[in-house]
Amino acid sequence: MIRAQHSLQSYNTFGIDARARWFSEIETPDALQALLKQHPDRPLFVLGGGSNLLLTRDLDQWVLHNRISGKSIVREEANNVVVRIGGGENWHETVLWSLQQGYGGLENLSLIPGTAGAAPIQNIGAYGVELSEVFERLEAIDLQTGERLEFTAEEAAFGYRDSLFKRALKGKIFITHIHLKLTRQKHACNTSYGALKNTLEEWGIHAPAPADISRAVIHIRQSKLPDPAELGNSGSFFKNPVIDKVQFESLRQQYPQVPGYPMSDAQVKVPAGWLIEQAGWKGKRVGSVGTYPKQALVLVNYGGAKGEAVWALARQIMADVKQQFSIDLQPEVNVL
Ligand code: EPU
């Protein structure tokens, strides 16, 4: 079914009221192929959970909302299992399901908003783990030809919040299923992230199971990130910039407290939240938009904001950070 002039307000976690010229929910790969055949020339836009999207205008396109469901086991090995997840499945419910099955690998990625199909596009990551570490392959449909395609982890060319699907294939494919390789036993628990380690220590957990890590991650996220159901937001609005070591050292001369994570011998990742806070933007509100008081990297809609207002705030923050630190912030969310 194709709906016209459909409001997208409940389909983006910023809660922006923009409209789609046409809108369809896609429940199976076959249904998508049939629709593409019937209407070959319409400009398309693929929408997952809308959790990484800022709409600054109505979409003069045909919005395809991924509702493909299903969680199944493809293959079991001695220590591993490969699961196949429908692209429209809610990400956090997928994580909880995997833990209920006793599988490890997704626990650090608990409570990330969005869908399974969107997860590979920006290679979601949190608390020391990125999707690329468990990703095996994905199934997709070419939006131009209607053909079924597959991509391996290698072909996906994952990077920090980056992949082939965000670059050369942007807007060109519809991800129908993802395949993830999880552990059945001998779980490789990652507690390297400071806040995670501290929380587990406070709870007196010394040999955490995946479910413990998930609980700790949920606790940390709830204590510093706003729930999109209560306050419109899109998680981290910017990527953490990677700068060269020389620039980092001179920054440290001026700001001895600056946090930095070495990426290589020559490069250091600096938390954008720290830069934004230093630039004086933490917790500031401008009309119906602002930065979240507990995490400056998260821009929020206090209610009724237009996408343009969020984008104007983002640009102001980028200009101030550039002026103070000579560092360019790049949006992590997809700004339309
Ligand atoms: N910081 C501040 N002020 C702030 C926020 C952060 O000074 O207002 C500094 C602190 O020094 C803190 C450091 O920044 O120690 C790092 O902060 P945090 O642990 O909150 O992580 P982040 O770098 O801001 C990244 C991801 C998050 C992810 C967390 C945990 C990016 C762009 N963001 O945030 O991902 O949950 O690490 O792994 O990489 C998302 O992508 O939407 C997202 C929420």
Side-chain angles (χ1 to χ4, degrees):
M1 189 172 92
I2 303 179
R3 282 173 255 169
Q5 293 304 328
H6 192 64
S7 170
L8 296 174
Q9 188 160 24
S10 58
Y11 297 91
N12 70 98
T13 59
F14 255 123
I16 304 286
D17 191 15
R19 267 158 206 282
R21 179 155 179 207
W22 301 287
F23 182 92
S24 297
E25 300 206 323
I26 305 299
E27 288 178 359
T28 63
D30 290 348
L32 175 59
Q33 285 175 313
L35 271 177
L36 292 174
K37 223 179 221 165
Q38 282 164 22
H39 307 277
D41 296 322
R42 288 192 188 176
L44 301 172
F45 181 82
V46 179
L47 180 67
S51 61
N52 205 44
L53 178 66
L54 175 62
L55 293 164
T56 67
R57 55 174 168 84
D58 288 340
L59 297 186
D60 194 24
Q61 283 151 305
W62 184 13
V63 172
L64 304 174
H65 184 219
N66 194 336
R67 300 268 299 172
I68 296 178
S69 61
K71 303 184 192 87
S72 60
I73 292 163
V74 178
R75 194 168 86 232
E76 281 189 289
E77 294 160 5
N79 193 40
N80 294 101
V81 57
V82 175
V83 297
R84 177 177 184 256
I85 312 292
E89 289 284 356
N90 174 277
W91 177 258
H92 181 58
E93 281 166 23
T94 302
V95 174
L96 295 180
W97 169 82
S98 72
L99 293 167
Q100 277 155 14
Q101 312 301 306
Y103 304 152
L106 302 184
E107 55 278 3
N108 296 55
L109 305 178
S110 296
L111 215 61
I112 296 182
T115 53
I121 298 176
Q122 64 148 336
N123 185 21
I124 58 169
Y127 304 100
V129 172
E130 289 185 342
L131 183 82
S132 54
E133 292 165 51
V134 293
F135 179 93
E136 200 189 58
R137 63 196 176 93
L138 65 73
E139 298 166 52
I141 289 178
D142 183 320
L143 289 171
Q144 207 167 11
T145 63
E147 265 177 341
R148 299 217 183 195
L149 306 171
E150 285 206 3
F151 296 90
T152 62
E154 196 172 55
E155 289 164 337
F158 291 118
Y160 165 58
R161 296 293 190 279
D162 195 31
S163 76
L164 174 72
F165 318 114
K166 206 173 160 175
R167 294 180 179 269
L169 292 185
K170 186 169 179 179
K172 298 206 162 109
I173 62 164
F174 186 102
I175 298 173
T176 60
H177 295 87
I178 64 172
H179 294 230
L180 305 174
K181 188 169 185 174
L182 308 177
T183 48
R184 300 173 64 204
Q185 48 196 336
K186 296 190 208 143
H187 306 298
C189 291
N190 182 328
T191 57
S192 59
Y193 204 86
L196 179 55
K197 203 188 290 177
N198 296 343
T199 301
L200 290 164
E201 263 165 32
E202 270 169 40
W203 290 357
I205 298 173
H206 303 296
D212 297 318
I213 294 181
S214 172
R215 276 193 302 126
V217 167
I218 290 171
H219 174 81
I220 299 165
R221 288 189 76 101
Q222 285 177 337
S223 71
K224 64 167 147 183
L225 296 171
D227 178 354
E230 283 158 26
L231 192 60
N233 77 89
S234 202
S236 302
F237 192 88
F238 302 101
K239 291 214 239 182
N240 286 332
V242 176
I243 62 175
D244 63 57
K245 213 172 167 184
V246 179
Q247 187 182 6
F248 181 73
E249 288 310 332
S250 79
L251 192 61
R252 191 147 68 176
Q253 299 268 307
Q254 220 184 331
Y255 304 90
Q257 306 300 325
V258 59
Y261 313 102
M263 298 290 283
S264 65
D265 286 347
Q267 294 194 302
V268 182
K269 186 150 92 182
V270 180
W274 184 88
L275 297 167
I276 296 168
E277 180 171 349
Q278 295 301 309
W281 277 105
K282 188 169 183 168
K284 265 207 188 163
R285 182 171 171 170
V286 184
S288 52
V289 298
T291 67
Y292 191 56
K294 295 185 208 167
Q295 189 7 321
L297 187 50
V298 178
L299 304 193
V300 297
N301 170 5
Y302 284 103
K306 293 253 183 268
E308 290 99 318
V310 179
W311 184 226
L313 172 69
R315 282 196 319 252
Q316 187 61 56
I317 291 172
M318 288 159 83
D320 287 359
V321 166
K322 173 84 176 172
Q323 204 200 340
Q324 188 171 344
F325 300 102
S326 302
I327 292 177
D328 287 305
L329 289 183
Q330 271 178 27
E332 191 222 69
V333 305
N334 192 6
V335 181
L336 282 181

